[in-house]
Amino acid sequence: MVKENCGVVGIFSNEDVNVIPMVIDSLRALQHRGQEAWGIAIPNKAPLKKIGLVSASSNEFKKITEEYSSHSAIGHVRYSTVGKSQLENAQPLKVKDLCIAHNGTIANVEELSNLVGGCTFTPQNASDTLVAAQRLVSLISENGKLGSALSILKNEMVGSYCFTFLSDDDAVYAARDPKGFRPMVLGHKESQSLHIVASESSALSAIGAKLVRDVSPGELIKISSDGLETEMFSEEKQRAHCSFEFTYFAQPSSKMEGTNIYLARKRIGQFLAKKYPLKDADLVIPVPDSARPAALGYAQELGIQFDEGLLKDRYSKKGPLRSFIEPHQSDRVEINRWIIPIPEVIEGKHVVVIDDSLVRGTSSKAIIKALRRSGAKKISMMITYPPIKYPCYAGIDFPSQEELATFTDSKEYSEQEIIEKVRNDIGADFLAYNDAENLANAVGIPIDSMCFTCSTGNYEPLGITPAFKTRKEMKGD
Ligand code: SF4
């Protein structure tokens, strides 16, 4: 069984344009959202699925573009949060005449699977997307329309979901969950009379399309030869935009909820500097790559030198990938080997290292070791995201509590004691985390419209009281 965060795209052209090259380019622009597998679907054909990065199949692009030629298509890049990382779990999936690509996690998949024939759901035999798709298809056959089916499914299904759908009559659909956990945008390219829906605006830029707007939480968009139609399948007003997208997950060039991610991260660094002004530091360095704007903001705010003390080896097999979203621990360790310190920059200095998050602590530990080896006098680590203490059931892969760096064997520890434990574990001289209010202010979204569940343990935005599971139970590996 699989649940994904992932990236989704859907493109429809009203001219006879083959959109497949554009779907491929947009998936490449969403590659940071999932690196395990990718796929595309066109009407009246079984979806194409491939393991690995989109670019790994570049020698097949010409053949794929010809074989799957279509003026409407959806696509998907996958990163599993629940279930095994294997080809059959790649997307899009096809159930009857509906193809589906999903970004998010269905938290009550066992319960939902009882509504689709009572099959016993396990991480090994199904995907949450498949269960949701089966239920949706049966609701469509009972209720006639996708919008009516979604308005029923939203009450049965708990979780985060941005879907793109494709029907055999070649219409492309996009739906975003009522609280807007995961991002989704709508774009337009006038020259080819096409509309695009995608997880992030980076996918729009990749094909020269303009950002029209965010898809509203609870909205269903249909793009077909009749043009663009929209309806609300939920009128819920409470939002829970994932705060982690703004610090780590999203591409810096993307715009979400009206906010450019790069500028938001730079402001997060500035706000962090106001909260923890380490004025005796000699140097501020980012952990590459997503913490770079925050480190720049921190350094500029305090007038401290900013430099690159750590580089990723872009020519290594794993160097350009992101350690946290890799599914296997051995892969994560391998990635950290390709972070290269520059001793000439670091030696003899009090270094402030800015990172976007501290999840398992694997990267932080390796980085601090490397900085010590390079002669740093003092290492202060600042994390732009609050302490992650609880599993996410809304699409990000830190599924079991015991994997988190903040995990303790008792509930007696204070917040400060937990931070001290993490500091000691990773080997830093000083460790500080951002807080939710500071982060929300820097992003410019009201704190009560953002999700911070992985930090607070308040699962109200999802409407669940989870029984925490082990990684094996969640992912089947
Ligand atoms: S729990 Fe954390 S990672 Fe998951 S959606 Fe909420 S803020 Fe994002």
Side-chain angles (χ1 to χ4, degrees):
M1 140 72 176
V2 215
K3 299 189 187 184
E4 0 254 27
N5 188 11
C6 315
V8 296
V9 65
I11 303 182
F12 183 96
S13 168
N14 240 332
E15 291 174 6
D16 198 19
V17 174
N18 180 5
V19 299
I20 296 304
M22 287 182 269
V23 172
I24 290 173
D25 282 346
S26 5
L27 290 178
R28 293 174 79 168
L30 295 174
Q31 192 78 81
H32 58 284
R33 300 186 70 82
Q35 300 152 0
E36 292 175 43
W38 67 281
I40 56 175
I42 63 167
N44 301 299
K45 200 163 178 154
L48 169 91
K49 298 177 194 184
K50 296 275 181 188
I51 284 287
L53 299 178
V54 180
S55 59
S57 303
S58 57
N59 57 352
E60 293 175 70
F61 285 169
K62 190 170 178 290
K63 190 168 155 257
I64 292 169
T65 299
E66 285 164 8
E67 274 180 24
Y68 287 80
S69 177
S70 173
H71 71 115
S72 69
I74 61 171
H76 188 263
V77 284
R78 174 170 183 259
Y79 139 60
S80 67
T81 55
V82 179
K84 289 195 168 181
S85 177
Q86 54 199 21
L87 188 62
E88 57 262 42
N89 289 333
Q91 296 186 29
L93 304 175
K94 187 162 192 178
V95 176
K96 300 215 167 135
D97 67 348
L98 191 73
C99 292
I100 179 169
H102 174 210
N103 169 202
T105 297
I106 309 303
N108 67 334
V109 65
E110 286 90 349
E111 211 181 308
L112 197 63
S113 70
N114 293 331
L115 299 172
V116 287
C119 60
T120 307
F121 167 83
T122 71
Q124 288 82 4
N125 76 356
S127 111
D128 62 339
T129 307
L130 179 62
V131 172
Q134 286 169 337
R135 180 64 184 148
L136 191 62
V137 165
S138 94
L139 288 170
I140 293 170
S141 68
E142 286 163 25
N143 297 275
K145 289 205 161 154
L146 184 54
S148 328
L150 276 170
S151 64
I152 298 170
L153 188 66
K154 72 148 197 330
N155 296 327
E156 300 174 347
M157 193 163 72
V158 175
S160 66
Y161 46 94
C162 278
F163 291 121
T164 52
F165 305 107
L166 180 80
S167 56
D168 273 349
D169 64 1
D170 82 4
V172 167
Y173 298 82
R176 189 176 182 198
D177 74 66
K179 289 204 170 75
F181 281 102
R182 306 260 71 87
M184 192 172 223
V185 290
L186 169 70
H188 184 231
K189 190 176 181 188
E190 211 173 326
S191 62
Q192 287 163 321
S193 188
L194 68 79
H195 278 100
I196 170 170
V197 276
S199 296
E200 290 185 38
S201 61
S202 57
L204 280 45
S205 310
I207 65 159
K210 286 214 166 86
L211 174 66
V212 175
R213 61 175 173 86
D214 293 293
V215 175
S216 299
E219 183 181 17
L220 170 68
I221 289 177
K222 178 184 180 188
I223 316 163
S224 70
S225 50
D226 295 332
L228 192 136
E229 295 161 67
T230 171
E231 67 180 283
M232 300 304 292
F233 64 91
S234 167
E235 294 298 338
E236 184 169 336
K237 293 284 176 281
Q238 183 60 52
R239 302 293 179 245
H241 303 305
C242 171
S243 52
F244 206 56
E245 291 275 357
F246 291 89
T247 55
Y248 173 84
F249 219 68
Q251 221 271 343
S253 71
S254 288
K255 205 170 175 180
M256 264 173 208
E257 316 307 327
T259 298
N260 168 263
I261 297 295
Y262 176 84
L263 294 177
R265 286 181 188 162
K266 208 166 157 195
R267 277 197 307 275
I268 291 169
Q270 290 163 342
F271 279 55
L272 200 58
K274 286 179 188 148
K275 191 173 161 67
Y276 299 111
L278 296 186
K279 290 184 180 157
D280 64 331
D282 302 304
L283 184 67
V284 178
I285 63 169
V287 173
D289 285 310
S290 33
R292 191 167 283 124
L296 188 58
Y298 185 93
Q300 284 180 347
E301 183 66 28
L302 296 177
I304 302 172
Q305 186 192 340
F306 168 88
D307 218 327
E308 300 280 356
L310 298 164
L311 294 178
K312 271 190 183 175
D313 179 357
R314 294 178 192 284
Y315 304 101
S316 73
K317 184 170 150 259
K318 293 281 185 182
L321 303 185
R322 313 174 84 184
S323 69
F324 156 60
I325 68 170
E326 279 288 294
H328 303 294
Q329 181 72 11
S330 57
D331 290 340
R332 285 195 291 270
V333 170
E334 190 182 338
I335 290 167
N336 289 324
R337 282 200 203 113
W338 305 110
I339 292 181
I340 304 164
I342 305 169
E344 289 77 2
V345 172
I346 295 157
E347 205 172 353
K349 308 253 175 72
H350 172 192
V351 183
V352 178
V353 197
I354 310 279
D355 205 351
D356 48 54
S357 55
L358 201 158
V359 182
R360 299 168 176 92
T362 322
S363 305
S364 311
K365 209 173 188 170
I367 285 163
I368 284 163
K369 237 186 200 171
L371 291 172
R372 290 236 186 268
R373 273 202 311 269
S374 301
K377 186 175 74 185
K378 183 175 175 186
I379 303 167
S380 300
M381 190 153 214
M382 299 264 182
I383 310 296
T384 65
Y385 196 76
I388 293 171
K389 293 185 278 188
Y390 299 90
C392 172
Y393 292 91
I396 306 280
D397 180 22
F398 22 92
S400 65
Q401 260 190 316
E402 75 259 35
E403 287 179 277
L404 301 174
T406 53
F407 182 70
T408 57
D409 50 6
S410 138
K411 289 195 173 127
E412 303 300 308
Y413 291 94
S414 68
E415 178 95 352
Q416 207 40 53
E417 283 169 332
I418 292 172
I419 294 172
E420 177 56 19
K421 171 208 163 301
V422 179
R423 185 204 62 74
N424 193 44
D425 288 349
I426 63 173
D429 298 306
F430 175 80
L431 171 67
Y433 288 87
N434 206 352
D435 66 67
E437 199 180 347
N438 207 34
L439 199 156
N441 287 342
V443 170
I445 295 180
I447 190 169
D448 58 3
S449 292
M450 296 182 97
C451 176
F452 282 100
T453 298
C454 48
S455 175
T456 62
N458 172 13
Y459 286 87
E460 217 174 288
L462 262 183
I464 56 168
T465 312
F468 299 138
K469 293 179 179 175
T470 64
R471 183 176 183 86
K472 194 164 192 291
E473 285 167 326
M474 294 285 284
K475 292 187 69 103
D477 63 2

